[in-house]
Amino acid sequence: MKVAVFSTKAYDRRSLEAANAGHGHEFFFLESRLALPTAPLAAGHGAVCAFINDELHARTLGILARGGTKLIALRSAGFNHVDLKAAHKLGLKVLRVPAYSPHAVAEHALALVMTLNRKTHRAYNRVREGNFSLDGLLGFDIAGKTAGIVGTGKIGIILGEILAGMGCRVLGYDPFPNKRFKKIGTYVDFPGLLRESHIISLHCPLTPESHHLINKKTLALMRPGAMLINTSRGALIDTQAVTHALKSGHLGYLGLDVYEQEADLFYENLSETIIQDDVFQRLLTFPNVLITSHQAFFTGDAMKNIAETTIGNITDFEKGRPSANEVTSRQIHHGA
């Protein structure tokens, strides 16, 4: 099958070509993001392979459909960047990678927690400069603290298990409770989780209901000095409200692997340019903020799983086989 692959980096090409051995799909690799201006490049390709910062809006999908595309193969679990109603109306099937490596994301969330707490990134730079002072590096014991997990799917549960193993009391909030989580933690309502947790980690999908889940009102419910971690979707957080909470000192720590306006920033080398996003630049000035560029998924194991599942999805579609990875109408409303 002819596949146009957008937002391609060298590592994407390597993993997809390795997974394609024995399948025989023909790839057209494009470095550009999929958006309205670049959609015509997919003409003549039965499938489009897209990543999280590609823009699959109604007009873009219309161009793809008119160009002969029948399948949208996502290299991600999330699908909030796809206008699913438009896709279904146009007869485009959308397949995703529902679980590539939940351990990778959960472990990265823990890395953000540990780095923010013990300030190892700052200590590393100090020692390299011959500064062995401990001033400003004070952390806290994670054992005995309360950790709140917002969204108890596979990733949230794994992080909860890790934190429980470190001696944390674990709380969870999810509209759809999971029996596995109940073995390690206790479900509470969202306000209760915010009030009681020293560490709060977001692991929920982005839906109309969860957009700006963390806002001025919910931030006010958090205990003073709490740590907030987001490795899920940037728009779960109202960045302006979080900035104000950091400035006031109410929010003690912020760890982000995602950002609401990340599409024009992440995955590119902008070190020789002037970043125009003033909100993002303001965040970088806080000593208690740690930002990584949407890399939580980025392990060798995860890349292999993403590529193999993506290729499997394309092959299933080509052969007319049903796929458990299809985004259904139920998911349009519930987000996962």
Side-chain angles (χ1 to χ4, degrees):
M1 193 168 187
K2 295 181 69 175
V3 184
V5 186
F6 285 85
S7 297
T8 304
K9 302 296 183 186
Y11 45 79
D12 296 306
R13 185 166 189 157
R14 287 193 296 268
S15 59
L16 286 170
E17 287 179 338
N20 191 41
H23 290 264
H25 299 300
E26 181 182 344
F27 293 122
F28 175 38
F29 290 106
L30 295 151
E31 292 185 9
S32 56
R33 282 196 293 135
L34 175 56
L36 194 61
T38 59
L41 297 173
H45 292 79
V48 161
C49 186
F51 199 44
I52 51 176
N53 287 331
D54 291 317
E55 299 173 2
L56 289 93
H57 302 155
R59 291 175 64 193
T60 302
L61 292 172
I63 293 173
L64 295 177
R66 289 191 293 273
T69 296
K70 301 293 183 184
L71 170 66
I72 306 296
L74 301 177
R75 305 195 304 277
S76 62
F79 47 83
N80 56 280
H81 56 309
V82 184
D83 187 330
L84 293 171
K85 291 183 179 179
H88 285 238
K89 187 175 181 180
L90 290 164
L92 295 171
K93 183 164 287 191
V94 180
L95 301 179
R96 65 173 181 147
V97 183
Y100 36 88
S101 179
H103 289 276
V105 181
E107 289 166 9
H108 190 79
L110 178 66
L112 293 176
V113 171
M114 297 295 291
T115 304
L116 277 169
N117 176 27
R118 301 309 300 267
K119 304 169 183 62
T120 47
H121 56 314
R122 298 177 64 188
Y124 170 80
N125 288 324
R126 282 191 187 185
V127 170
R128 286 174 61 86
E129 295 172 356
N131 180 354
F132 303 101
S133 168
L134 298 184
D135 290 338
L137 302 182
L138 187 67
F140 60 84
D141 287 5
I142 289 178
K145 299 299 187 294
T146 298
I149 308 296
V150 181
T152 55
K154 293 180 180 179
I155 297 170
I157 286 176
I158 290 169
L159 180 61
E161 290 173 339
I162 293 171
L163 291 172
M166 295 177 71
C168 283
R169 170 190 176 222
V170 179
L171 302 179
Y173 169 74
D174 197 310
F176 306 96
N178 190 313
K179 291 181 180 179
R180 180 177 163 189
F181 180 83
K182 293 179 180 179
K183 296 179 181 179
I184 58 163
T186 304
Y187 279 110
V188 294
D189 60 19
F190 188 51
L193 181 145
L194 297 178
R195 282 192 294 265
E196 296 187 46
S197 299
H198 299 90
I199 301 167
I200 298 164
S201 193
L202 306 180
H203 300 283
C204 49
L206 178 61
T207 66
E209 293 76 21
S210 65
H211 182 265
H212 284 182
L213 184 70
I214 301 300
N215 53 55
K216 182 178 180 180
K217 291 182 178 179
T218 53
L219 283 162
L221 295 176
M222 294 183 191
R223 67 163 63 224
M227 179 185 293
L228 176 63
I229 304 293
N230 187 10
T231 56
S232 190
R233 288 293 179 264
L236 294 173
I237 289 178
D238 180 340
T239 311
Q240 293 277 14
V242 163
T243 300
H244 289 306
L246 288 165
K247 289 174 65 176
S248 71
H250 182 70
L251 183 62
Y253 310 81
L254 177 66
L256 301 177
D257 187 53
V258 289
Y259 171 61
E260 189 168 6
Q261 305 300 328
E262 70 178 57
D264 294 326
L265 298 174
F266 291 0
Y267 304 125
E268 304 300 332
N269 180 1
L270 304 179
S271 59
E272 300 297 325
T273 65
I274 303 297
I275 294 174
Q276 299 299 314
D277 189 329
D278 293 340
V279 175
F280 185 79
Q281 291 290 74
R282 183 72 180 93
L283 281 178
L284 293 179
T285 67
F286 291 99
N288 52 347
V289 171
L290 179 63
I291 303 175
T292 54
S293 57
H294 210 144
Q295 70 178 74
F297 77 97
F298 197 52
T299 66
D301 300 281
M303 290 299 292
K304 181 174 183 288
N305 292 340
I306 289 170
E308 289 179 349
T309 302
T310 299
I311 296 300
N313 286 342
I314 295 169
T315 299
D316 285 343
F317 177 82
E318 182 183 43
K319 296 184 178 299
R321 297 193 292 247
S323 173
N325 299 331
E326 181 177 358
V327 181
T328 66
S329 58
R330 182 189 70 83
Q331 289 166 313
I332 292 176
H333 299 290
H334 294 290

